[in-house]
Amino acid sequence: MENLVSCPCGHPLSNHDFEGCNGERLRRCPCPRDKHAALEAAVDRVQKKPAVA
């Protein structure tokens, strides 16, 4: 599931840990969310703007 859900920063949940988003291999993402916060943000984004109406 961690690779199927993306944080609003664009990276999957598997890239997030207690320090935030690891981003890409060579550069860390500025997103401060841990896995729990990233999942909540992804759910909030879908609830506010569903992909299919």
Side-chain angles (χ1 to χ4, degrees):
M1 180 179 99
E2 291 184 350
N3 289 325
L4 297 176
V5 179
S6 292
C7 176
C9 75
H11 296 111
L13 293 182
S14 59
N15 286 30
H16 291 77
D17 60 21
F18 67 95
E19 294 180 345
C21 181
N22 291 321
E24 301 301 323
R25 219 174 236 192
L26 300 175
R27 288 192 352 205
R28 204 165 166 81
C29 177
C31 175
R33 297 177 185 99
D34 63 6
K35 282 186 185 187
H36 180 77
L39 178 59
E40 285 186 350
V43 169
D44 286 344
R45 181 182 59 189
V46 171
Q47 287 177 339
K48 290 178 183 171
K49 186 177 180 184
V52 179

